Amino acid sequence: MKPVVGMVVSNKMQKSVVVAVDRLFHHKMYNRYVKRTSKFMAHDERNECNIGDRVRLDPSRPLSKRKNWIVAEILKKARIYVPPAARVADSNTQTGVASGSS
């Protein structure tokens, strides 16, 4: 098996991520290119991957029932949207200021 590149769609497990890998193939009857998606579970040792990251997977020995891949590298980190209200609340908790009314 060769390395594959895909997008992280789930990181809710410990040390594991689900990666969606798209592939195009030519359909002879329809004479069109068709996109198919495969989902692979991959081992993420340091829990570095977030949803939306573009990663490269390398094949490995079976690590569990469905996990046969390892995240080799993160090619592109996803831009994570943080709403303005969450930014203000987050900065207040970091500086030690309690948000409350008098």
Side-chain angles (χ1 to χ4, degrees):
M1 292 190 302
K2 62 180 184 176
V4 294
V5 176
M7 189 83 62
V8 176
V9 293
S10 173
N11 65 345
K12 294 184 179 182
M13 298 162 281
Q14 296 175 3
K15 297 187 177 184
S16 297
V17 291
V18 178
V19 179
V21 177
D22 294 331
R23 61 187 171 90
L24 285 175
F25 68 94
H26 187 261
H27 199 289
K28 288 183 172 59
M29 179 193 253
Y30 298 137
N31 197 22
R32 300 258 191 276
Y33 282 96
V34 182
K35 181 169 85 168
R36 292 293 155 105
T37 303
S38 301
K39 288 184 181 179
F40 298 114
M41 284 187 61
H43 185 68
D44 180 22
E45 181 64 38
R46 293 184 293 264
N47 288 325
E48 294 176 335
C49 295
N50 287 318
I51 295 175
D53 289 352
R54 193 151 186 81
V55 296
R56 182 172 57 88
L57 302 179
D58 283 341
S60 73
R61 64 179 177 82
L63 300 168
S64 68
K65 182 179 178 180
R66 294 184 53 219
K67 196 160 62 166
N68 299 319
W69 299 87
I70 292 179
V71 175
E73 67 174 312
I74 299 173
L75 301 173
K76 184 177 180 186
K77 295 291 278 182
R79 293 176 52 195
I80 300 172
Y81 173 74
V82 178
R87 274 190 235 141
V88 171
D90 194 30
S91 65
N92 286 343
T93 57
Q94 288 177 354
T95 57
V97 176
S99 58
S101 59
S102 333

